Amino acid sequence: MGRVIGVGLIGHGFMGRAHSLAWRNITLFTDSPLTPVLKAVAGRREDAVREFAVRFGFERYYTDYRLMIKDPGIEVIDNVTPNYMHKEPTIEAIEAGKHVIVEKPPALNAEEAYEMYKAAERAGVVNMVAFNYRFVPAIVLAKQLISSGRLGRIYHFRAFYLQQSLANPNAPLTWRLKREYAGFGTLADLGSHIIDLARYLIGEINEVNGVLYTFNRSRLNPATGLSEEVNVDEGFTAMVKFSNGATGILEASKLATGHFNSLIIEVNGSEGSIRFNLERVNELEVYLTSDGELSGFRRILVTQRTHPFIRFWWPPGHVLGWEHTFTHELYHFLTRLNEGRGVGPEAADFKDGWRVMSIIEAIAKSSREGDWVNVP
Amino acid sequence: MGRVIGVGLIGHGFMGRAHSLAWRNITLFTDSPLTPVLKAVAGRREDAVREFAVRFGFERYYTDYRLMIKDPGIEVIDNVTPNYMHKEPTIEAIEAGKHVIVEKPPALNAEEAYEMYKAAERAGVVNMVAFNYRFVPAIVLAKQLISSGRLGRIYHFRAFYLQQSLANPNAPLTWRLKREYAGFGTLADLGSHIIDLARYLIGEINEVNGVLYTFNRSRLNPATGLSEEVNVDEGFTAMVKFSNGATGILEASKLATGHFNSLIIEVNGSEGSIRFNLERVNELEVYLTSDGELSGFRRILVTQRTHPFIRFWWPPGHVLGWEHTFTHELYHFLTRLNEGRGVGPEAADFKDGWRVMSIIEAIAKSSREGDWVNVP
Amino acid sequence: MGRVIGVGLIGHGFMGRAHSLAWRNITLFTDSPLTPVLKAVAGRREDAVREFAVRFGFERYYTDYRLMIKDPGIEVIDNVTPNYMHKEPTIEAIEAGKHVIVEKPPALNAEEAYEMYKAAERAGVVNMVAFNYRFVPAIVLAKQLISSGRLGRIYHFRAFYLQQSLANPNAPLTWRLKREYAGFGTLADLGSHIIDLARYLIGEINEVNGVLYTFNRSRLNPATGLSEEVNVDEGFTAMVKFSNGATGILEASKLATGHFNSLIIEVNGSEGSIRFNLERVNELEVYLTSDGELSGFRRILVTQRTHPFIRFWWPPGHVLGWEHTFTHELYHFLTRLNEGRGVGPEAADFKDGWRVMSIIEAIAKSSREGDWVNVP
Amino acid sequence: MGRVIGVGLIGHGFMGRAHSLAWRNITLFTDSPLTPVLKAVAGRREDAVREFAVRFGFERYYTDYRLMIKDPGIEVIDNVTPNYMHKEPTIEAIEAGKHVIVEKPPALNAEEAYEMYKAAERAGVVNMVAFNYRFVPAIVLAKQLISSGRLGRIYHFRAFYLQQSLANPNAPLTWRLKREYAGFGTLADLGSHIIDLARYLIGEINEVNGVLYTFNRSRLNPATGLSEEVNVDEGFTAMVKFSNGATGILEASKLATGHFNSLIIEVNGSEGSIRFNLERVNELEVYLTSDGELSGFRRILVTQRTHPFIRFWWPPGHVLGWEHTFTHELYHFLTRLNEGRGVGPEAADFKDGWRVMSIIEAIAKSSREGDWVNVP
């Protein structure tokens, strides 16, 4: 493999574990032209960040990310902190000349995301928002089918991101339920994914008309033992119009009992349709009108050697887990970094991140105002 | 079986065949307290109506429904004509003292439906809109689960009625695509079903916010060989708010490639969820949080002897077809007629029909005006 | 429709209801060249047979089938009695010059079935064993695919007929569990169906090697309140070899908890595969290697107008129930009767019935002897 | 994490990659009491083994495994070579006092496997055959259900391991198709997995009656360009009897078009059933008769925190890939090594490996002789 490139991670929670694994697996399995090395991880709680660094094989750790950003051995900063920590460290990293990756949603709001986008553009660094579901092999295959015209004219797009973690009114408060830390609720956490996939698969969204809802307006904060207001949405629904004329429905909810992690997508075109469910991440369903009397949704197990990214892995039928969306995504990032160009249109860059946040804000505005809102 | 009751059918197309079969099967299979007899069928094309009468065993036929309505041997008029023929014959039948059944949608618009409702109320006749999907055994089981509280507080309702008959731009024009005959397009034809089921399963709808769309604005009229304007919707999407606080999404489309007859429903409550798809009419999926570590959607084959209506049919696992929704529905009608009371709340009466048309109009209005509309 | 043909039914249980419905529906829905008329039904319990005759619209009833057989207005005798009543009345009907249909299994054993076959051959009457699953539209479509070579060389056939009615050791004794009335147990009742389908879909079976099992060797006879020996099998498994070289597995069990009526078939060929499950009677799954990168089992909803028998019914997607296998089967019988020729190879005639019973006996013999047995 | 333990790998193909990844992930994700370190890998082709060592982070490599076995820094030898290389190096490692892991099937035949078992027993080293599917979380959950009696008395076990790699007659020859390298064909490669799972889930197998088949008796050897005889089976079918009275069917085939990696299991008990398919590795279907009117197979997404091994990974619904069966398995090995005891009954030890090979030989014998064979 090619030259070594130093990576610095800010944050070490759920996403920190997922990204660290992916960085390591790139070397083991892919043909990446760059060899990522986990130089350092930054976190505020020293015990925790030290343990994380040891476990995942980082060379060192920092309790102040600002020091890490100055580390000349680090060329890429990967920011996997909670939403309210996205903008500032990322822009500082950009200004220090680092290439940057930030977890989704890219920021608390569109304004922050715009600042990040402009900062990256000015600095000319490679930048990516880690919308990892663009790197599910089945989703890439779906994109190929749509782009190639196999589905004909696109009529409809539907995307639902359904979980059940808040369905129980006694589920505790977390930072994701506080506007000051999360920006938006399920709309930001899950909704950002399906908005990004809508744009990736179908194209730009012009108008939105949605509604945000919060059924359980207060929850117990386990840290304080007190009940606190939930000041973000538990979910949302929106109708959208695409610039190519297709209609869309988007919904994200954490009140959807029975769904553990159902990101469900369906696209209907004049000559075919596709369906996907993240709970069956290795499968894509494809319908083609040209199948005539034998037409029916084909359950494609997207593990053939010629399917996207599968060449790096196992023989057909040996299914991949959710985690390798990150391997594929960071592999793509390194490939583009090596080529000296941006990550789009396959991955989401900071401009895409800003577009997603603009759509999120437009949906929230439409919910407040009760009518259609043009995406600015 | 009990006393004979004469039935007169107006119309003899697809729905005429389905209703005639059902009327006959009631006698063969159920414990109906009344024995329906197919007295007469009315239609304008004599050759066709005669052939239909012979084939389905009607005692006689009429080419003028007005004469049939006067037939004293007929106590029930079953109107299975196209939408634009619903109001007038039905009200005439009511005024002649007949009990009445009308196919869905009940009328071209809410005003017509209101007239029908008031006429039936004044006359005191038993009246029913043939929303047959209320009589799918799996749907009745779903209703029981929701009503009994097994799903807890209802958060979400989603219903999609998807077909593909118009996905091909070259599909011909039919009366269903002309406002003067159909009132509305897919919104009336398929949308009325899911609006009715929404009210049946969840409760009253207060507000709607929808959009109607027509991608293919003209189609060839095979009768004239000329291209004509399509002046109704090919489909619609709507967000709705229920009086009990639940949120809802409704969509009906005939542009949904890959779907032959997918009426898909999902309900999420705080303690459970249900799912249904008409293409698998014998199945209901049920999720209960009380299943804990062994929780997962149960695929229930609704063919056990204790399941709704199954006692009339076959041993467990011998699945029923779509057609028997009508058998169950007309059986219910006769049972209530015998008891001298209305068909609700299990079946839709003309008041329900008017409510459905009001919601349809509210959705159309919201589509024109771009904002939320209170259902009047 | 064409000339009237009188039908006489012997027996009026579950199968009596199913056949009577089918005879009536032929007139209502198909283009049958003959119009069947339900002339008479025969049964020993007068109250029951009278009630059945009234309900299903038979012109008269008999308490002695021998009298019915002499009725000159009856041209077809349809024998839907329990297994031990198959041979004698059927042969008597044949000898009276009637065309004959007998429910499956055709007889208690191969010897009886052979007598029936030879009697029908001698008399030159049209004869059919009512293996109705040959008339599932999805099965006919599967047959077309296999016959046309679309699946390439056939490697494997698997068929499982699974129910759960005996899984509970406390389930009561019935006539089906007594050798003197049933011949064999689940092997005869369910096994005969999959043996017939094996021959229909793949071809002749040369050798078998099976095992019969009875886990619960006594059950309570509800009529006597006493425990009685179960002297037939509760199920069986067999490996089979087809004359074309394909390998096969057959299994039927009524101990298969969770299965209500799962007749599951899979065929693997060098260029494609098919799968079917009776619990989803309207669906056929088809895999074609020629689909390449987009290959996956297609779930075909076998309700398109061009699919087998669908032209008689409803628009696409309006699914059929189990019961119409009989409508299609009896329609086929009448068509062939009108043409003056036998029902094969599409339907099973008495020779096929004898072959099935021979295979059943060979499986039972292999179970006793513990090795492969050539089918005589 | 605990003390470091040196691992030496013999072989570096498909399984070498899978095991290496798993060893590394143990440290990253689990609470293993021992910290495995990849000390060395052995292989005959120096270029290849060097590249593998670099890529997967081994400290060094050997071109002669015998030298590696002498390395005092290595405590565990993990043998992932082809079948014909299993016995000799493994016994040598045992005799050098190493703890040993060998890929499945453990040996070319039962005699070899017995030697390995006895050698390990004599030496008192921890030993494991890498039957990794025992470590699918869904399979462990199934085992818990069966062992706890939730399914009642077990009637039936069915297991099918279906792939399609040989369905095309033009697929090339590989070492797996030569008896001298593989011992048996699909029976060894796929069959050994389901035989092991049969014993794990249900219990000991007493008698077998099977058939091996080879449809395509010669294939092109790509190395020589010549056609060579295929002298092993392409697949097999067997009926088996368990010591607890349950009946079983086993089948493995590489001619099963449409199946990429379908290891399908079904167990039917008097009070419940389970189903599993490796292509949907995160799911277990469970039916419980106690569900009564709401009974149906539950699709359990085995990703809840309390499900087996899930505590090491991601939040619910974030599905795992095939590869982590190895992580779980090697974690289990280390846990037992630390406790100073054998890997059973959860994992397969060398005695289990010998039992599996004995059953394989018994099936082959029954195929030759055409009757039931007692497993010695």
Side-chain angles (χ1 to χ4, degrees):
Chain A
M1 300 185 71
R3 82 168 173 89
V4 159
I5 188 154
V7 173
L9 190 73
I10 312 180
H12 49 84
F14 167 31
M15 279 299 122
R17 298 164 76 229
H19 282 233
S20 297
L21 175 64
W23 284 117
R24 293 170 60 110
N25 279 338
I26 286 168
T27 311
L28 273 58
F29 288 95
T30 76
D31 58 9
S32 169
L34 300 176
T35 302
V37 171
L38 296 177
K39 284 288 177 187
V41 55
R44 277 179 289 205
R45 288 172 294 121
E46 180 157 9
D47 280 5
V49 71
R50 183 198 302 118
E51 191 194 318
F52 185 90
V54 170
R55 184 176 273 265
F56 284 92
F58 286 80
E59 296 182 4
R60 52 188 172 278
Y61 69 88
Y62 293 90
T63 54
D64 180 348
Y65 74 82
R66 287 183 176 87
L67 296 176
M68 185 172 76
I69 284 175
K70 291 178 184 150
D71 186 331
I74 290 174
E75 295 180 61
V76 174
I77 291 291
D78 184 6
N79 184 347
V80 294
T81 57
N83 307 359
Y84 71 97
M85 286 285 291
H86 284 184
K87 187 189 86 166
E88 206 167 295
T90 302
I91 289 183
E92 288 174 29
I94 288 169
E95 291 174 348
K98 309 300 188 192
H99 304 292
V100 285
I101 299 164
V102 68
E103 252 307 312
K104 44 58 56 182
L108 290 176
N109 51 49
E111 187 184 340
E112 281 193 4
Y114 187 78
E115 283 182 60
M116 292 162 71
Y117 153 42
K118 284 299 171 182
E121 190 180 55
R122 272 194 308 274
V125 298
V126 180
N127 55 91
M128 181 170 78
V129 183
F131 281 118
N132 56 311
Y133 295 142
R134 290 191 182 209
F135 289 88
V136 172
I139 292 290
V140 179
L141 184 59
K143 171 67 177 168
Q144 292 170 357
L145 286 166
I146 295 168
S147 296
S148 71
R150 286 292 290 273
L151 305 190
R153 178 184 182 180
I154 302 302
Y155 290 131
H156 302 315
F157 175 83
R158 286 174 218 100
F160 306 89
Y161 201 155
L162 304 178
Q163 297 183 349
Q164 64 181 352
S165 57
L166 301 177
N168 185 337
N170 298 321
L173 195 82
T174 70
W175 69 264
R176 290 196 182 281
L177 292 173
K178 299 301 287 184
R179 184 182 305 138
E180 46 276 36
Y181 299 117
F184 298 87
T186 300
L187 173 54
D189 188 26
L190 306 185
S192 64
H193 270 304
I194 54 177
I195 292 167
D196 180 63
L197 288 175
R199 294 180 69 248
Y200 172 61
L201 291 171
I202 308 298
E204 203 52 79
I205 290 172
N206 290 345
E207 288 180 79
V208 300
N209 187 347
V211 59
L212 280 59
Y213 45 77
T214 306
F215 282 80
N216 306 285
R217 306 207 66 94
S218 66
R219 290 181 187 267
L220 209 67
N221 184 336
T224 64
L226 300 176
S227 183
E228 280 187 39
E229 190 199 356
V230 172
N231 59 3
V232 293
D233 61 284
E234 291 180 319
F236 84 101
T237 307
M239 305 183 293
V240 306
K241 296 179 184 171
F242 290 91
S243 62
N244 63 6
T247 73
I249 300 179
L250 306 176
E251 182 181 14
S253 173
K254 294 189 179 178
L255 302 170
T257 301
H259 295 275
F260 287 90
N261 200 23
S262 294
L263 193 171
I264 295 167
I265 289 176
E266 177 160 343
V267 180
N268 302 133
S270 58
E271 296 172 29
S273 290
I274 63 104
R275 291 198 293 219
F276 172 78
N277 186 337
L278 184 61
E279 288 188 357
R280 289 176 168 168
V281 68
N282 294 278
E283 302 179 19
L284 184 70
E285 289 186 281
V286 174
Y287 183 97
L288 298 173
T289 57
S290 56
D291 285 341
E293 197 177 62
L294 296 181
S295 65
F297 275 95
R298 305 172 180 187
R299 183 185 81 97
I300 301 172
L301 197 64
V302 188
T303 61
Q304 294 188 43
R305 188 144 296 267
T306 58
H307 286 148
F309 300 109
I310 301 300
R311 68 188 186 281
F312 297 142
W313 302 104
W314 321 109
H318 293 72
V319 296
L320 296 184
W322 163 88
E323 67 200 43
H324 289 316
T325 55
F326 297 98
T327 315
H328 305 157
E329 177 179 60
L330 298 176
Y331 163 78
H332 176 78
F333 180 88
L334 290 176
T335 305
R336 288 302 170 82
L337 178 54
N338 186 57
E339 295 171 1
R341 61 189 182 104
V343 298
E346 293 86 353
D349 61 19
F350 279 18
K351 186 175 179 188
D352 291 306
W354 164 60
R355 298 303 304 145
V356 168
M357 291 310 301
S358 298
I359 292 167
I360 284 175
E361 287 198 355
I363 290 171
K365 187 179 178 209
S366 77
S367 182
R368 288 191 304 273
E369 300 183 354
D371 54 11
W372 287 87
V373 169
N374 289 312
V375 179
Chain B
M1 298 185 74
R3 81 168 173 89
V4 159
I5 189 153
V7 173
L9 191 72
I10 313 179
H12 50 84
F14 167 31
M15 279 300 122
R17 298 164 77 228
H19 282 233
S20 298
L21 175 64
W23 283 118
R24 294 169 59 109
N25 280 337
I26 286 168
T27 311
L28 274 57
F29 288 96
T30 77
D31 58 10
S32 170
L34 299 177
T35 303
V37 170
L38 297 177
K39 284 287 176 187
V41 55
R44 278 178 289 203
R45 290 173 292 122
E46 181 158 6
D47 280 6
V49 71
R50 184 196 303 118
E51 190 194 319
F52 185 90
V54 169
R55 184 176 273 265
F56 284 93
F58 286 79
E59 296 182 4
R60 52 188 171 276
Y61 68 87
Y62 292 90
T63 55
D64 181 348
Y65 73 83
R66 286 184 176 86
L67 296 176
M68 184 171 78
I69 284 175
K70 289 177 186 152
D71 186 330
I74 290 176
E75 295 179 59
V76 174
I77 291 292
D78 184 7
N79 183 347
V80 295
T81 56
N83 307 358
Y84 70 98
M85 285 284 292
H86 285 184
K87 188 188 86 169
E88 207 166 294
T90 302
I91 288 182
E92 289 174 29
I94 288 168
E95 291 175 348
K98 309 299 188 192
H99 305 292
V100 284
I101 300 164
V102 68
E103 253 305 313
K104 42 61 56 183
L108 291 176
N109 51 49
E111 188 185 338
E112 282 193 2
Y114 187 78
E115 282 181 61
M116 292 162 71
Y117 152 43
K118 284 298 172 183
E121 191 179 54
R122 271 194 308 274
V125 299
V126 180
N127 55 92
M128 182 171 77
V129 184
F131 281 118
N132 56 311
Y133 295 141
R134 290 190 182 210
F135 289 89
V136 172
I139 292 290
V140 179
L141 184 59
K143 171 67 178 168
Q144 291 170 356
L145 286 167
I146 294 168
S147 297
S148 71
R150 286 293 290 273
L151 306 190
R153 177 184 183 181
I154 302 302
Y155 291 131
H156 302 315
F157 175 82
R158 285 174 217 102
F160 306 89
Y161 202 155
L162 305 177
Q163 296 184 350
Q164 65 181 352
S165 56
L166 301 177
N168 185 337
N170 299 320
L173 195 82
T174 71
W175 68 264
R176 290 196 182 282
L177 293 172
K178 299 302 286 185
R179 185 181 306 139
E180 45 278 36
Y181 300 117
F184 298 87
T186 300
L187 173 55
D189 188 26
L190 306 185
S192 64
H193 270 304
I194 54 177
I195 291 167
D196 179 63
L197 288 175
R199 292 181 69 250
Y200 173 60
L201 292 171
I202 309 297
E204 203 52 78
I205 290 172
N206 290 344
E207 290 179 78
V208 301
N209 187 346
V211 59
L212 279 58
Y213 46 77
T214 306
F215 282 82
N216 306 283
R217 305 207 68 93
S218 66
R219 290 183 186 264
L220 209 67
N221 185 335
T224 64
L226 301 175
S227 182
E228 279 187 36
E229 190 199 357
V230 172
N231 60 3
V232 293
D233 61 284
E234 291 181 319
F236 84 102
T237 306
M239 305 183 293
V240 305
K241 296 178 185 171
F242 290 90
S243 62
N244 63 6
T247 72
I249 301 179
L250 306 176
E251 181 180 15
S253 173
K254 294 189 180 179
L255 302 171
T257 301
H259 295 274
F260 287 89
N261 200 23
S262 295
L263 193 172
I264 295 166
I265 289 176
E266 178 161 342
V267 179
N268 302 133
S270 59
E271 295 171 32
S273 289
I274 64 102
R275 293 198 292 219
F276 172 77
N277 186 337
L278 184 62
E279 287 188 359
R280 289 176 169 169
V281 69
N282 295 279
E283 302 179 19
L284 183 70
E285 290 187 281
V286 175
Y287 183 98
L288 298 173
T289 58
S290 56
D291 285 341
E293 196 177 63
L294 296 181
S295 66
F297 275 95
R298 304 172 180 187
R299 181 185 82 96
I300 300 172
L301 197 65
V302 188
T303 62
Q304 295 188 43
R305 190 145 293 267
T306 58
H307 286 147
F309 301 106
I310 301 300
R311 69 189 185 282
F312 297 141
W313 302 104
W314 321 108
H318 294 73
V319 297
L320 296 184
W322 163 87
E323 67 202 42
H324 289 316
T325 55
F326 297 98
T327 315
H328 306 157
E329 177 179 58
L330 298 178
Y331 163 78
H332 176 78
F333 179 86
L334 290 177
T335 304
R336 289 300 171 84
L337 178 53
N338 187 58
E339 295 171 1
R341 60 189 183 105
V343 299
E346 294 85 353
D349 61 18
F350 280 17
K351 186 176 182 189
D352 292 306
W354 164 61
R355 298 305 303 147
V356 168
M357 291 312 300
S358 298
I359 293 167
I360 284 175
E361 287 198 356
I363 290 170
K365 185 179 179 208
S366 77
S367 182
R368 288 192 304 275
E369 299 184 354
D371 53 12
W372 287 86
V373 169
N374 289 313
V375 179
Chain C
M1 300 186 73
R3 81 169 173 89
V4 159
I5 188 153
V7 173
L9 190 73
I10 311 179
H12 49 85
F14 168 30
M15 278 301 123
R17 298 164 77 228
H19 282 233
S20 298
L21 175 64
W23 284 118
R24 293 170 60 108
N25 280 337
I26 286 168
T27 311
L28 273 57
F29 288 96
T30 77
D31 58 9
S32 169
L34 300 175
T35 302
V37 170
L38 297 176
K39 284 287 177 189
V41 55
R44 278 179 287 204
R45 290 173 291 120
E46 180 158 8
D47 280 5
V49 72
R50 183 197 304 118
E51 190 194 320
F52 185 88
V54 170
R55 183 176 272 266
F56 283 93
F58 286 80
E59 295 183 4
R60 51 188 171 276
Y61 68 87
Y62 293 90
T63 54
D64 180 349
Y65 74 83
R66 287 183 176 87
L67 296 176
M68 186 171 76
I69 285 175
K70 292 176 184 151
D71 186 331
I74 290 176
E75 296 179 57
V76 174
I77 291 291
D78 184 5
N79 184 348
V80 295
T81 56
N83 307 358
Y84 70 98
M85 285 286 291
H86 284 184
K87 188 188 86 167
E88 206 166 296
T90 302
I91 289 182
E92 287 174 31
I94 288 168
E95 291 174 348
K98 309 300 187 189
H99 304 292
V100 284
I101 300 165
V102 68
E103 253 305 313
K104 43 60 56 181
L108 289 177
N109 52 49
E111 189 185 339
E112 282 193 3
Y114 187 77
E115 284 181 60
M116 292 162 72
Y117 153 44
K118 284 298 172 184
E121 192 180 53
R122 273 193 308 273
V125 297
V126 181
N127 55 92
M128 181 170 77
V129 184
F131 282 119
N132 57 310
Y133 295 141
R134 290 190 182 211
F135 290 89
V136 172
I139 292 290
V140 179
L141 184 59
K143 171 67 176 167
Q144 292 171 355
L145 286 167
I146 294 168
S147 297
S148 71
R150 286 293 290 274
L151 305 190
R153 177 184 184 181
I154 301 303
Y155 291 131
H156 302 316
F157 175 81
R158 284 173 218 102
F160 306 89
Y161 202 154
L162 305 177
Q163 296 184 351
Q164 64 181 351
S165 56
L166 300 177
N168 186 336
N170 299 320
L173 195 82
T174 71
W175 69 264
R176 291 195 182 282
L177 293 173
K178 298 303 285 183
R179 185 181 304 139
E180 45 277 37
Y181 300 117
F184 297 87
T186 300
L187 173 55
D189 188 25
L190 307 185
S192 64
H193 270 303
I194 55 177
I195 291 167
D196 180 63
L197 288 175
R199 293 181 68 250
Y200 174 62
L201 292 171
I202 308 298
E204 204 52 80
I205 290 172
N206 291 345
E207 288 180 79
V208 300
N209 187 345
V211 59
L212 278 59
Y213 46 78
T214 305
F215 282 83
N216 307 284
R217 304 207 68 93
S218 66
R219 289 182 187 267
L220 210 66
N221 184 336
T224 64
L226 300 176
S227 183
E228 280 187 37
E229 191 199 356
V230 172
N231 59 2
V232 293
D233 61 285
E234 291 180 319
F236 84 102
T237 306
M239 306 183 292
V240 305
K241 296 178 184 171
F242 290 91
S243 62
N244 63 5
T247 73
I249 300 178
L250 305 177
E251 181 181 16
S253 173
K254 294 190 180 179
L255 302 171
T257 300
H259 294 274
F260 288 89
N261 200 24
S262 294
L263 193 171
I264 295 166
I265 290 176
E266 179 161 342
V267 179
N268 301 133
S270 59
E271 295 171 32
S273 289
I274 64 102
R275 292 198 293 220
F276 171 77
N277 186 336
L278 185 62
E279 288 188 358
R280 289 175 169 169
V281 69
N282 295 277
E283 303 180 18
L284 183 70
E285 290 187 280
V286 175
Y287 183 97
L288 298 172
T289 57
S290 56
D291 285 341
E293 196 177 63
L294 296 181
S295 66
F297 275 95
R298 304 172 180 188
R299 182 185 82 96
I300 300 173
L301 197 65
V302 188
T303 61
Q304 295 187 43
R305 190 144 294 266
T306 58
H307 287 147
F309 301 106
I310 301 300
R311 67 188 186 283
F312 297 142
W313 301 104
W314 321 110
H318 293 73
V319 297
L320 296 184
W322 164 86
E323 68 202 40
H324 289 316
T325 54
F326 297 98
T327 315
H328 305 156
E329 177 179 58
L330 298 177
Y331 163 78
H332 176 78
F333 179 87
L334 290 177
T335 305
R336 288 301 170 84
L337 178 54
N338 187 59
E339 295 171 1
R341 61 189 182 106
V343 298
E346 293 86 354
D349 60 20
F350 279 18
K351 185 175 182 188
D352 291 305
W354 165 60
R355 298 304 304 144
V356 167
M357 290 311 301
S358 298
I359 293 168
I360 283 176
E361 287 198 356
I363 290 171
K365 185 180 179 209
S366 77
S367 182
R368 288 191 305 274
E369 300 184 352
D371 54 12
W372 287 87
V373 170
N374 290 314
V375 180
Chain D
M1 299 186 73
R3 80 168 175 87
V4 159
I5 188 153
V7 173
L9 190 74
I10 313 181
H12 49 84
F14 167 31
M15 278 300 122
R17 298 164 76 229
H19 282 232
S20 298
L21 175 64
W23 284 117
R24 292 170 59 109
N25 279 337
I26 286 168
T27 311
L28 273 58
F29 287 95
T30 77
D31 58 9
S32 169
L34 299 177
T35 302
V37 170
L38 297 176
K39 283 288 176 187
V41 54
R44 277 178 289 205
R45 289 172 294 119
E46 180 157 9
D47 280 5
V49 71
R50 184 198 301 117
E51 190 194 319
F52 185 90
V54 169
R55 183 177 272 265
F56 283 92
F58 286 79
E59 295 182 5
R60 53 188 171 278
Y61 68 88
Y62 293 90
T63 54
D64 181 348
Y65 74 82
R66 287 183 176 86
L67 296 176
M68 186 171 77
I69 284 174
K70 292 178 183 152
D71 186 331
I74 289 176
E75 295 180 59
V76 174
I77 291 291
D78 184 6
N79 184 348
V80 295
T81 57
N83 308 358
Y84 71 98
M85 285 284 291
H86 284 184
K87 187 189 87 167
E88 204 167 296
T90 302
I91 288 183
E92 288 175 29
I94 287 168
E95 291 174 348
K98 308 300 188 191
H99 304 292
V100 284
I101 300 163
V102 67
E103 252 307 312
K104 44 58 56 183
L108 291 176
N109 51 49
E111 187 184 341
E112 282 193 4
Y114 187 77
E115 283 182 59
M116 292 162 71
Y117 153 43
K118 284 298 173 183
E121 190 179 56
R122 272 194 308 275
V125 298
V126 181
N127 56 91
M128 182 170 77
V129 184
F131 281 118
N132 56 311
Y133 296 140
R134 290 191 183 209
F135 289 89
V136 172
I139 292 291
V140 179
L141 184 59
K143 171 68 177 168
Q144 291 170 356
L145 286 166
I146 294 168
S147 297
S148 71
R150 287 292 291 273
L151 306 190
R153 177 184 182 181
I154 302 303
Y155 291 130
H156 302 316
F157 176 81
R158 287 174 217 101
F160 306 89
Y161 202 155
L162 304 177
Q163 296 184 350
Q164 64 180 351
S165 57
L166 301 177
N168 185 337
N170 299 320
L173 195 83
T174 71
W175 68 264
R176 291 197 182 281
L177 292 173
K178 299 302 284 183
R179 185 181 306 138
E180 45 276 37
Y181 300 117
F184 297 86
T186 300
L187 173 55
D189 188 24
L190 306 186
S192 63
H193 270 304
I194 54 177
I195 292 167
D196 180 64
L197 288 176
R199 294 181 67 250
Y200 173 61
L201 291 171
I202 308 297
E204 203 53 79
I205 289 172
N206 290 344
E207 289 180 79
V208 301
N209 186 347
V211 59
L212 279 59
Y213 45 78
T214 306
F215 282 81
N216 306 283
R217 304 206 68 94
S218 66
R219 290 181 186 267
L220 209 67
N221 183 337
T224 63
L226 301 175
S227 184
E228 280 187 37
E229 190 200 355
V230 172
N231 58 4
V232 293
D233 61 285
E234 291 179 321
F236 84 103
T237 306
M239 305 182 292
V240 305
K241 296 178 184 170
F242 290 90
S243 61
N244 63 6
T247 73
I249 301 179
L250 305 177
E251 181 182 15
S253 173
K254 294 189 179 180
L255 302 170
T257 301
H259 294 274
F260 287 90
N261 200 23
S262 293
L263 193 171
I264 294 167
I265 288 176
E266 178 159 343
V267 179
N268 302 133
S270 59
E271 294 171 31
S273 290
I274 64 103
R275 293 198 293 220
F276 172 78
N277 186 337
L278 184 62
E279 288 188 359
R280 288 176 169 169
V281 69
N282 295 277
E283 301 179 19
L284 183 70
E285 289 187 280
V286 174
Y287 183 96
L288 298 173
T289 57
S290 56
D291 285 342
E293 196 178 61
L294 296 181
S295 66
F297 276 95
R298 305 172 179 188
R299 183 186 81 97
I300 301 173
L301 197 64
V302 188
T303 61
Q304 293 188 44
R305 188 143 296 266
T306 57
H307 286 148
F309 301 108
I310 301 299
R311 68 188 186 282
F312 297 142
W313 302 104
W314 320 109
H318 293 72
V319 297
L320 296 184
W322 164 88
E323 67 200 43
H324 290 316
T325 55
F326 297 99
T327 315
H328 305 157
E329 176 180 59
L330 298 177
Y331 163 79
H332 175 79
F333 180 87
L334 291 177
T335 304
R336 287 303 170 82
L337 178 54
N338 187 59
E339 295 170 2
R341 61 190 183 104
V343 298
E346 293 86 353
D349 60 21
F350 279 18
K351 186 175 181 189
D352 291 305
W354 164 60
R355 299 303 303 144
V356 168
M357 291 310 301
S358 298
I359 294 167
I360 284 175
E361 287 198 354
I363 290 171
K365 186 179 178 210
S366 76
S367 182
R368 287 190 306 273
E369 301 184 353
D371 54 11
W372 287 88
V373 169
N374 290 314
V375 180

